[in-house]
Amino acid sequence: LRSLLLTPLALLPQLPAESSEQTLLAFDATTLSAWLAAEAVKQNSLWDRFKPLLKELIAAMSAAWFFTPGLAAQVLDNNRFVLRFAAVLLDAPDPDIDHEVLLSLAFCCINAPDSDKSIMAS
């Protein structure tokens, strides 16, 4: 599971900017990451088991989105699972989760200068 989630996030900056491959890989990786986060916060046993991986995912996702401007600037709907991942973990009752990084990640998606915010109008 660790390789399945972290490897695609590490590959994103190496793919052609704003390519369909980058967009699809980002969407798939963040979908699975958001699902894992949502499931883990529901059960203490899952939280204890996956907390180290979730912390790695925060770092990997943040690095990819901060240093690959096309990811943050894509249509907001494409970043919905990045935002879901951040929202779920911001609500997690654990002081070890880096809220500042999660907030910065969400802000990066919402406030990217070239981002299409059309979904926000609906």
Side-chain angles (χ1 to χ4, degrees):
L1 185 59
R2 184 178 183 279
S3 294
L4 180 69
L5 294 172
L6 290 172
T7 302
L9 292 173
L11 290 174
L12 289 173
Q14 300 170 34
L15 295 172
E18 301 179 42
S19 64
S20 60
E21 293 85 6
Q22 187 184 58
T23 301
L24 291 171
L25 189 59
F27 191 81
D28 291 346
T30 58
T31 300
L32 291 171
S33 298
W35 173 83
L36 178 63
E39 291 301 310
V41 297
K42 291 179 188 176
Q43 298 178 36
N44 287 339
S45 62
L46 287 177
W47 181 255
D48 293 340
R49 180 176 176 194
F50 290 112
K51 180 176 142 182
L53 175 56
L54 291 167
K55 290 173 79 172
E56 286 183 82
L57 287 168
I58 292 169
M61 202 176 295
S62 296
W65 265 254
F66 293 158
F67 299 111
T68 311
L71 291 173
Q74 54 184 335
V75 175
L76 193 58
D77 192 44
N78 288 353
N79 279 328
R80 68 180 173 265
F81 290 110
V82 176
L83 297 170
R84 174 76 175 136
F85 177 80
V88 166
L89 292 178
L90 283 166
D91 285 340
D94 191 316
D96 291 340
I97 297 300
D98 193 338
H99 287 193
E100 187 175 326
V101 172
L102 288 168
L103 288 169
S104 295
L105 177 61
F107 183 78
C108 160
C109 292
I110 294 169
N111 201 48
D114 298 329
S115 180
D116 177 359
K117 307 294 188 303
S118 60
I119 191 173
M120 295 181 77
S122 41

